[in-house]
Amino acid sequence: MNEPKRVLVAEDSSVIINLTKNVLLFENFHITAVKNGQQVLDKLGRENFDLILMDINMPVMDGIACTKAIRQLKDPQKSKIPIVAITGNYKNYTLDDFKKAGLNDYVQKPLDYDLLLATVKKHIDN
């Protein structure tokens, strides 16, 4: 059996973290959750992940700034990690804005869990 894929969930809402965990754990993903972009960078410095689910609006460091920082990392594996934005105010951004920031994709809130799962799998399985 393959190692479970490791997903880092960056989200300041514990409700969304718990729901996301439930969906992804059911599919045998290993989930780590943090509350802001700075914690993402700290975690990524110590551990490897297969994908990051990145809330755009977080305290301390938002998802866009965090994604840009990740894309600047020296470690080529970490700098290219797939990052999927989770956003409630996607109307403020276009997919083009997300791509420019270095995000691979986005899922809008309220989360559609089938879409979330499909999006995660799309970026992890290839």
Side-chain angles (χ1 to χ4, degrees):
M1 179 141 174
N2 294 346
E3 282 287 295
K5 296 292 187 180
R6 298 173 56 91
V7 177
L8 180 58
V9 180
E11 168 63 70
D12 58 344
S13 157
S14 44
V15 173
I16 291 183
I17 287 174
N18 288 332
L19 289 168
T20 304
K21 273 185 171 175
N22 290 342
V23 171
L24 297 177
L25 287 172
F26 187 72
E27 293 285 332
N28 198 30
F29 288 100
H30 181 279
I31 311 300
T32 303
V34 295
K35 299 277 192 178
N36 64 59
Q38 187 55 56
Q39 291 176 346
V40 170
L41 295 176
D42 295 345
K43 273 277 178 214
L44 203 52
R46 294 191 301 270
E47 297 176 47
N48 289 318
F49 295 95
D50 297 293
L51 180 131
I52 299 174
L53 284 173
M54 181 82 75
D55 185 20
I56 295 304
N57 296 311
M58 292 183 291
V60 186
M61 177 189 276
D62 69 36
I64 298 283
C66 182
T67 298
K68 288 179 173 168
I70 290 167
R71 296 303 181 221
Q72 303 296 318
L73 293 173
K74 296 214 179 345
D75 179 331
Q77 190 186 355
K78 292 187 178 182
S79 68
K80 290 184 173 62
I81 188 169
I83 303 175
V84 176
I86 300 175
T87 177
N89 60 351
Y90 69 97
K91 291 180 179 72
N92 301 352
Y93 298 101
T94 63
L95 183 57
D96 208 43
D97 294 331
F98 289 137
K99 297 263 189 218
K100 280 194 186 100
L103 289 149
N104 298 83
D105 213 334
Y106 75 100
V107 180
Q108 66 203 47
K109 296 176 190 171
L111 291 175
D112 169 331
Y113 289 98
D114 293 331
L115 178 64
L116 176 70
L117 195 53
T119 305
V120 166
K121 286 180 161 180
K122 177 172 92 180
H123 292 286
I124 269 188
D125 288 339
N126 48 19

